Structures are given as C-alpha cells and as structure tokens.
Amino acid sequence: MTIDQTVSWIAWSLLLTSVVLLVFAVRRIVGAGRLRYYLLRREQTAGGWRLALVAVVVGLAAVVVFTLGRPAAYVVFPPTPSITPSPTASLTPTITDTPTITVTPSISATPSVTPTATASPTPQLPDLLLLALQETVTPRPEAILSPILFATRLNVTNLAIAPSESFENPIETLYGAFTYDGLDDGVRWTALWYLEGRVVCSEGEDWTGGTGGYGYTECTPERGWLPGEYEVQIFLGTTWKISGRFTITGDPPTPTPSRTP
C-alpha cells in the first residue's frame, strides 16, 4: 500500500467514525427527552452532547488528515527519486554510394510451353444407370445436401455417432449421414460408393423423406471393406449434388468356409 493510499484510508475511517458517533449522540439526546426523571434525563442529555463533541473532534481530525496528511507523510518518509533514463546517442547513418546506371538485359527468356490448369471433372452417373433412370419428378434447383459424415452407427434421428474420415477393419456396415432441404417426394436419388473408380455399393430409388430433415446412405460390400480411399457420390436425378471421402485401413476378416455335407 502506498503513502497516498494509507492517508486516504485513515481519513475516510475517521470521517466514517465521526458520522457513526454523531448518529449515536443524536439518538441519545432524543431518547433522553422521553425519560420521566429529571436527573436521568439530564445525565443522558449530557452524555449525548459529549458524544457529539467527540464526533465533531473526530470529523475535524479527518479534515486535517485530508488536507495535511500527505505533506506530513512525505516529511517523515521522503520519496526516493526515480532514475530518469538519459537518451543514448543514436548513430548517424553514413552515406552509401548508389549506382547511377543499371544494366537492363536485352533478351528475356520466354518459356516455349505454357502450362494450362486442368479442370477437375464433375461426377457423372454411369451409363447403365442413365439408361435405367426414369425421372417422374424433376428435382428443384434449390435442393441442397450437407457434407456427408461417415460413421459405423446412427442414432434414432439418423445422425452420425462419432463420425470419422478414417476407419480400421473389421467393419461390417458404414453409413453416410447428411441433412437435406428443398427435396420433393418422388425425386429419383442415387448414392454410389467407389473404391479406386470401382463401384462397391449403389442405392437408387424414389425419395420418400419429405422436404427437409436427416437422411443417410449405407454400404456393406460383398467382399468386405478392402483398404484404400473411398468416395461416395450422391445424385438427384442426373445432377451431382455432394461427394464425401474416407479411408479404410487394415485387411478385412477372412470368411470362415462352411462344411459341405
């Protein structure tokens, strides 16, 4: 606590004490008027005035501390002067020679072949599915699907439980959960599960989930989940809407051969 804080604390304490004593003095003088006996009333009144006098003295002490406390404290405890940092001399930059003539190369090398960026192709439905597709309801352009979350389990509302982008065998079934909005019942939707360009699972049917909510696609490959990177593509009609990727590590379990009778 600094000297200024100590002086302020003492002054406010004296002022608060003066107010409390004055309140008690007033209550004592007022209460003396209700006494029936003269001697007791006079003694009580005198005590109240003495208490009021003490309150006034304490209040004057608070005023004195407020006005003269800091100078008196600095006389008893002189402040220690702080060291003023002196500016250090700064170095004067020296003049450096600047070349006046810059040699400009006359011939600039021009590349003979300009690389062109290749555009990533938009996913398309396989030809066999296009031939078999018969649209009865045209999907709306504003129909949207959220990014696909992959998991081994779903809850009762079709939300993915502990979704991940990497899974380790043994695995039986994987789910691709998503949210949707702007769909209509009867729209043909297709989900294709790829492993290195080869379809391992496919779903295709008329939509029956309503306009918006939570949906999913699932896959259980016949040969098990081979290690590699998988991609899931979802289409509404013939229009691609969303894709998702995940990775499988570890070899699938070997099926146990059944005995032949």
Side-chain angles (χ1 to χ4, degrees), residues 9 12 14 26 36 62 66 98 100 106 109 180 194 209 223 228 233:
W9 180 80
W12 282 110
L14 291 175
V26 172
R36 296 177 57 186
F66 265 122
T98 305
T100 58
S106 58
Y180 59 91
Y194 285 94
R223 298 173 54 189
Q233 301 174 0

Side-chain angles (χ1 to χ4, degrees), residues 145 148 178 189-191 232-236 239-242:
L145 301 178
I148 306 173
F178 55 88
W189 79 286
T190 306
V232 177
Q233 301 174 0
I234 298 180
F235 298 81
L236 294 180
T239 304
W240 167 79
K241 282 295 181 180
I242 194 69

Side-chain angles (χ1 to χ4, degrees), residues 53 79-80 83 102 170 176 188 200 228:
L53 181 61
T80 303
I83 300 175
T102 303
R188 188 71 176 179
V200 296

Side-chain angles (χ1 to χ4, degrees), residues 135-194:
E135 287 187 338
T136 57
V137 178
T138 303
R140 288 187 281 172
E142 63 269 19
I144 57 173
L145 301 178
S146 71
I148 306 173
L149 299 179
F150 298 99
T152 57
R153 294 185 299 157
L154 301 177
N155 62 11
V156 293
T157 59
N158 296 335
L159 290 176
I161 300 176
S164 177
E165 296 180 355
S166 179
F167 301 90
E168 185 176 1
N169 274 311
I171 305 171
E172 183 176 355
T173 302
L174 279 180
Y175 301 91
F178 55 88
T179 60
Y180 59 91
D181 189 30
L183 271 69
D184 295 317
D185 289 342
V187 172
R188 188 71 176 179
W189 79 286
T190 306
L192 301 177
W193 296 64
Y194 285 94

Side-chain angles (χ1 to χ4, degrees), residues 62-107:
V63 173
V64 172
V65 173
F66 265 122
T67 57
L68 303 177
R70 290 184 179 86
Y74 288 146
V75 171
V76 178
F77 304 101
T80 303
S82 58
I83 300 175
T84 304
S86 58
T88 57
S90 58
L91 299 177
T92 303
T94 58
I95 300 175
T96 58
D97 295 333
T98 305
T100 58
I101 301 176
T102 303
V103 179
T104 304
S106 58
I107 301 175

